[in-house]
Amino acid sequence: QVHLVESGGGLVQPGGSLRLSCAASGSRFSGYDMGWYRQAPGKQRELLATTTSGGSTNYADSVKGRFTISRDNAKNTVYLQMNSLKPEDTAVYICNARNSYYIYWGQGTQVTVSS
């Protein structure tokens, strides 16, 4: 069992930056692949970035070059550094943890990009 708690969301102006955190508790964090998703009102959940247990990363085209995913296994935390934010980045940002058997989701943190 893994419990995920996101933090770091808020209101930011266009062009600004935010760093989201997802703290995990429970089973061995380092063995999980971690991902960040977002969901805007009326839209499907969108996969943004993933980091595997081995440290490989992958990004959606919509955020490549602007967002960076990283993990600190000693702190059981995965991060999403978001730069050059746009109004269309406004959404609830959600992290997940997966292994060969299970998928766990956090509750999400709201990010609003507006002037």
Side-chain angles (χ1 to χ4, degrees):
Q1 185 81 13
V2 175
H3 184 56
L4 303 172
V5 178
E6 300 93 338
S7 62
L11 174 64
V12 63
Q13 292 188 343
S17 298
L18 281 176
R19 188 176 82 153
L20 305 183
S21 300
C22 173
S25 60
S27 296
R28 189 172 65 93
F29 174 79
S30 61
Y32 285 84
D33 296 340
M34 303 297 296
W36 281 100
Y37 293 70
R38 68 185 177 193
Q39 187 156 22
K43 294 189 177 181
Q44 288 190 330
R45 187 170 291 188
E46 176 187 11
L47 173 62
L48 302 176
T50 59
T51 177
T52 68
S53 58
S56 299
T57 59
N58 201 12
Y59 297 91
D61 287 343
S62 59
V63 303
K64 198 173 294 183
R66 298 190 299 126
F67 291 9
T68 303
I69 189 171
S70 61
R71 65 191 298 161
D72 185 337
N73 290 334
K75 295 183 178 180
N76 287 1
T77 301
V78 62
Y79 304 98
L80 186 68
Q81 178 67 43
M82 306 187 296
N83 299 327
S84 303
L85 284 163
K86 307 173 184 179
E88 52 263 44
D89 293 318
T90 295
V92 175
Y93 284 69
I94 307 158
C95 69
N96 86 344
R98 68 169 62 206
N99 61 14
S100 299
Y101 305 100
Y102 303 107
I103 300 174
Y104 301 98
W105 295 91
Q107 292 298 307
T109 185
Q110 176 70 44
V111 172
T112 302
V113 184
S114 175
S115 56

